[in-house]
């Protein structure tokens, strides 16, 4: 089982727009997993995708739109070479210090007893995680997962 590098053209793409409310976290993870299923990943690879998407969407719900409502935009691109790119974007408050936010146990929401492990979880289940953010404009989290080539 050999992994390939992220490369290749987009072979299929899906976009979802959801209200940033907690009941939509499960729908987001199920929809992304179902869409990725056409690449025939192993069950553990689908579980990894579901966990990472769950964390990213939960971060939007909990942190991006504190005391307000908003939308979550999800774009999933299936790539040649059995890779997937998942972009989860909000138009919320943004992240002031991305480096600090990615540190294990860092949280801005201590009163709700958040663990501060969201980015750490995403990084453990994906091959690469990117973050772009601007305060007052929003945040985009990009998750990359390369499915194992089981033919070699």
């Amino acid at each position: 089982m050999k992994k390939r590098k992220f490369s290749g053209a987009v072979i299929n793409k899906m976009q979802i727009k959801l209200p940033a409310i907690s009941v939509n976290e499960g729908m987001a993870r199920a929809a992304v997993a179902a869409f990725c299923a056409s690449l025939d990943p192993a069950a553990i690879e689908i579980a990894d995708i579901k966990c990472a998407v769950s964390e990213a969407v939960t971060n939007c719900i909990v942190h991006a739109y504190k005391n307000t409502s908003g939308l979550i935009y999800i774009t999933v691109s299936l790539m040649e070479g059995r890779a997937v790119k998942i972009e989860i974007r909000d138009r919320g408050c943004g992240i002031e210090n991305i480096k600090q936010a990615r540190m294990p146990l860092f949280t801005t929401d201590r009163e709700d007893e958040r663990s501060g492990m969201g980015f750490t979880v995403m990084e453990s289940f994906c091959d690469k995680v990117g973050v772009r953010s601007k305060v007052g404009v929003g945040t985009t989290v990009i998750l990359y997962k390369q499915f194992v080539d089981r033919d070699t």
Side-chain angles (χ1 to χ4, degrees):
M1 290 197 206
K2 183 175 135 186
K3 284 193 176 189
R4 296 184 195 160
K5 296 191 184 239
F6 293 106
S7 62
V10 174
I11 58 173
N12 202 358
K13 193 174 201 174
M14 172 183 76
Q15 295 180 310
I16 304 171
K17 178 171 67 171
L18 300 167
I21 55 177
S22 61
V23 295
N24 286 336
E25 176 273 326
M27 203 291 282
R29 64 187 271 153
V32 171
F35 189 70
C36 291
S38 68
L39 293 179
D40 193 28
I44 190 72
E45 292 170 322
I46 285 291
D48 289 352
I49 290 289
K50 289 169 75 174
C51 287
V53 167
S54 177
E55 286 296 329
V57 169
T58 298
N59 278 353
C60 291
I61 294 165
V62 171
H63 300 291
Y65 297 113
K66 270 188 190 175
N67 304 316
T68 64
S69 60
L71 296 170
I72 300 169
Y73 304 86
I74 302 171
T75 302
V76 184
S77 300
L78 304 182
M79 316 294 283
E80 288 180 339
R82 298 176 44 78
V84 63
K85 175 183 175 185
I86 305 162
E87 297 179 65
I88 300 170
R89 180 174 58 90
D90 64 65
R91 293 185 177 152
C93 63
I95 301 171
E96 191 171 317
N97 185 332
I98 294 171
K99 186 176 181 180
Q100 184 180 37
R102 291 181 79 155
M103 297 293 295
L105 304 177
F106 176 80
T107 184
T108 59
D109 195 5
R110 295 241 182 252
E111 60 196 43
D112 284 337
E113 297 182 20
R114 297 283 166 190
S115 69
M117 295 298 289
F119 282 116
T120 303
V121 168
M122 286 181 254
E123 289 167 348
S124 69
F125 288 111
C126 292
D127 295 303
K128 183 178 174 185
V129 176
V131 184
R132 294 187 312 257
S133 190
K134 187 171 183 184
V135 174
V137 176
T139 300
T140 301
V141 172
I142 306 157
L143 308 171
Y144 297 92
K145 182 75 173 175
Q146 175 69 60
F147 297 136
V148 173
D149 186 353
R150 294 181 287 175
D151 295 334
T152 57

